[in-house]
């Protein structure tokens, strides 16, 4: 049997999705969905994982499930090609997590760098919720339940995929070849790996107020770009400017293609020429920001328009998710059957077991 190629990825519904999500993963997902290379594509909303550090705010998670679903559809995920579902509606994932817990040590979880940082960020050091601590295990269940071969995610998810691969190897070693070992698919452009906030901070985050959301209206995007962090030593137009840490150029790296120059700034052939001029001196921030605004609006406008369309029929969105959940459960429950069989806990489906036990006791 030829191995199927299967994509799986997801997001925690803790807010609307921003352009960091877009260049880091969403854009790529839509391309993968439309590439025809993959037999199946699963994209899901990780509400149960979001609850591991928002247990006291279920309303926030509930509100953002629909926001994320709208962002998915607006970006071009197509329910006829991609199964979209909500994590908590797939109970098979919880059962898989429970069995995988036997294959992971506490010290291994403590070494997970992403979890480590998150614990510090949330001041959980002295009171880590067990569910939060073990979410990498549940993430392994998300991935393996759908036999995903390819997981397109941002760089911060690398430790989760590595942990999943270890669980798969250990499971298959102990119980026989059952689970599929996934591969991570990182963005191919360095600027997209981790898009900084508009203030130049390492990461976009809602609490820092430095995000540009996919659903931001055009004038809001314009305003955010105008006040964006550049090179603080680049005071006069004639001054030479620096590119490192210059957010406007990082965003151009993530969004700009050569064709944009013909349209918006034909004096330059490509981004490299613009960069050269900037570092030489003689190019002002305003001009660069205007280009960025044009490029970003061109990218975001169709997304905003599609979102508005989808917002007109919210019950239809829930219906898409519900159908996705049903389809996802079918796949996950097949994997769970295989897992139970491999772990020898499928007592009632195993006629040989019953016969064997009868014979054993008859001999006594
Ligand atoms: N941890 C991911 C995030 O924070 C969300 C997620 C949960 C996920 N399970 C996953 C991503 C499985 C990829 C595969 O965005």
């Amino acid at each position: 049997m030829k191995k199927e190629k299967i994509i799986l990825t997801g997001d925690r519904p803790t807010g609307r999705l921003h352009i960091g999500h877009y260049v880091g993963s969403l854009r790529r997902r839509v391309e993968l969905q439309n590439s025809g290379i993959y037999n199946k594509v699963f994209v899901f909303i990780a509400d149960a994982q979001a609850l591991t550090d928002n247990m006291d705010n279920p309303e926030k998670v509930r509100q953002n499930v629909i926001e994320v679903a709208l962002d998915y559809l607006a970006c071009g995920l197509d329910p006829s090609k991609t199964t979209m579902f909500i994590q908590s509606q797939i109970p098979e994932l919880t059962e898989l997590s429970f069995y995988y817990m036997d294959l992971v040590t506490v010290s291994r979880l403590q070494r997970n760098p992403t979890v480590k940082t998150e614990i510090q960020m949330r001041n959980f050091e002295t009171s880590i919720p067990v569910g939060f601590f073990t979410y990498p295990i549940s993430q392994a269940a998300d991935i393996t339940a759908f036999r995903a071969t390819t997981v397109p995610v941002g760089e911060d998810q690398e430790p989760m995929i590595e942990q999943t691969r270890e669980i798969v190897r250990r499971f298959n070693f102990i119980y026989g070849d059952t689970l599929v070992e996934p591969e991570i698919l990182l963005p191919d452009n360095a600027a997209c790996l981790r898009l900084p906030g508009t203030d130049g901070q390492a990461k976009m985050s809602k609490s820092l107020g430095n995000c540009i959301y996919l659903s931001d209206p055009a004038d809001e995007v314009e305003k955010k770009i105008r006040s964006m962090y550049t090179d603080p030593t680049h005071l006069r137009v004639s001054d030479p400017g620096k590119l490192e840490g210059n957010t406007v150029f990082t965003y151009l790296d993530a969004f700009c293609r050569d064709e944009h120059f013909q349209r918006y700034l034909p004096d330059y052939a490509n981004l490299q020429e613009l960069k050269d001029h900037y570092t030489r001196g003689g190019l002002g921030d305003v001009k660069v920001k205007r280009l960025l605004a044009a490029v970003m609006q061109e990218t975001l406008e169709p997304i905003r328009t599609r979102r508005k369309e989808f917002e007109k029929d919210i019950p239809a969105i829930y219906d898409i998710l519900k159908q996705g959940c049903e389809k996802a459960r079918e796949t996950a429950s097949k994997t769970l059957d295989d897992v139970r069989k491999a772990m020898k806990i499928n007592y009632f489906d195993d006629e040989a077991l019953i016969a064997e036990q009868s014979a054993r006791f008859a001999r006594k």
Side-chain angles (χ1 to χ4, degrees):
M1 198 174 72
K2 218 177 131 267
K3 200 166 113 182
E4 287 195 296
K5 287 168 81 82
I6 299 173
I7 299 258
L8 175 125
T9 188
D11 301 275
R12 296 183 196 179
T14 52
R16 290 178 289 148
L17 300 182
H18 52 62
I19 56 167
H21 295 114
Y22 182 72
V23 300
S25 173
L26 276 170
R27 179 167 66 182
R28 171 64 88 64
R29 286 179 207 175
V30 176
E31 283 165 18
L32 294 168
Q33 166 197 269
N34 296 332
S35 70
I37 298 173
Y38 293 89
N39 303 81
K40 290 181 201 149
V41 183
F42 296 94
V43 175
F44 76 104
I45 302 176
D47 62 336
Q49 189 178 106
L51 284 167
T52 64
D53 63 336
N54 290 280
M55 64 298 277
D56 50 356
N57 202 350
E59 194 53 38
K60 168 172 143 191
V61 174
R62 183 188 185 80
Q63 296 293 334
N64 282 306
V65 166
I66 189 79
E67 297 281 1
V68 171
L70 284 165
D71 285 330
Y72 283 169
L73 292 163
C75 284
L77 287 179
D78 173 352
S80 73
K81 296 182 187 152
T82 292
T83 306
M84 278 177 247
F85 65 94
I86 308 176
Q87 185 185 30
S88 63
Q89 304 308 299
I90 319 296
E92 287 77 8
L93 299 177
T94 333
E95 187 171 336
L96 285 176
S97 305
F98 189 68
Y99 302 140
Y100 295 171
M101 284 190 187
D102 301 336
L103 307 177
V104 180
T105 63
V106 170
S107 64
R108 176 62 183 87
L109 282 172
Q110 277 166 337
R111 281 202 305 275
N112 184 310
T114 299
V115 176
K116 253 192 194 162
T117 327
E118 286 176 328
I119 286 172
Q120 278 166 9
M121 268 163 44
R122 288 163 181 68
N123 293 318
F124 274 166
E125 282 96 340
T126 53
S127 55
I128 309 171
V130 174
F132 181 81
F133 184 61
T134 56
Y135 90 73
I137 300 175
S138 111
Q139 196 154 333
D142 301 336
I143 295 169
T144 54
F146 301 95
R147 304 180 196 283
T149 51
T150 313
V151 185
V153 280
E155 192 183 28
D156 62 321
Q157 295 300 302
E158 212 160 4
M160 308 304 159
I161 312 304
E162 195 41 50
Q163 181 105 61
T164 301
R165 290 165 61 91
E166 283 174 32
I167 290 173
V168 168
R169 288 197 288 263
R170 202 158 152 70
F171 189 102
N172 288 348
F173 176 74
I174 300 175
Y175 304 116
D177 215 7
T178 312
L179 302 174
V180 176
E181 202 172 318
E183 309 226 358
I184 190 168
L185 187 62
L186 291 169
D188 39 22
N189 168 335
C192 299
L193 267 181
R194 182 164 292 198
L195 201 72
T198 51
D199 57 355
Q201 297 267 1
K203 218 182 155 170
M204 281 203 177
S205 99
K206 188 158 72 184
S207 50
L208 293 172
N210 60 0
C211 306
I212 296 178
Y213 294 99
L214 293 172
S215 48
D216 276 345
D219 55 346
E220 184 85 28
V221 174
E222 207 72 40
K223 210 165 76 197
K224 288 179 179 175
I225 293 174
R226 235 180 292 130
S227 62
M228 234 161 112
Y229 181 84
T230 57
D231 168 11
T233 65
H234 183 240
L235 298 173
R236 271 171 305 237
V237 172
S238 55
D239 288 341
K242 264 203 309 286
L243 301 172
E244 310 87 56
N246 188 323
T247 321
V248 176
F249 279 96
T250 311
Y251 280 29
L252 281 172
D253 279 329
F255 281 96
C256 194
R257 297 183 304 271
D258 290 355
E259 60 181 88
H260 289 134
F261 282 90
Q262 291 146 36
R263 268 205 287 292
Y264 303 118
L265 213 52
D267 292 350
Y268 303 85
N270 52 40
L271 188 53
Q272 193 53 50
E273 281 188 11
L274 189 78
K275 285 180 176 174
D276 290 344
H277 191 184
Y278 191 79
T279 45
R280 255 194 334 266
L283 176 59
D285 283 345
V286 174
K287 195 165 173 185
V288 185
K289 283 183 175 175
R290 256 194 228 127
L291 169 70
L292 179 64
V295 169
M296 283 190 49
Q297 299 290 18
E298 181 188 302
T299 312
L300 296 177
E301 187 50 37
I303 298 177
R304 280 193 292 258
T305 311
R306 270 198 301 269
R307 200 185 205 269
K308 291 248 166 55
E309 273 310 302
F310 284 113
E311 284 172 3
K312 287 182 189 156
D313 191 356
I314 294 297
I317 313 297
Y318 281 106
D319 212 53
I320 289 171
L321 293 172
K322 188 173 172 201
Q323 284 180 28
C325 287
E326 279 162 17
K327 221 165 128 196
R329 271 198 87 175
E330 275 171 34
T331 306
S333 72
K334 284 204 196 93
T335 305
L336 185 57
D337 283 346
D338 293 349
V339 161
R340 286 161 160 258
K341 188 166 171 209
M343 293 180 73
K344 301 191 180 294
I345 52 175
N346 61 332
Y347 308 104
F348 310 128
D349 302 332
D350 189 352
E351 279 172 29
L353 168 75
I354 299 168
E356 184 193 305
Q357 294 301 330
S358 309
R360 185 162 76 88
F361 284 94
R363 276 199 304 274
K364 277 199 180 158

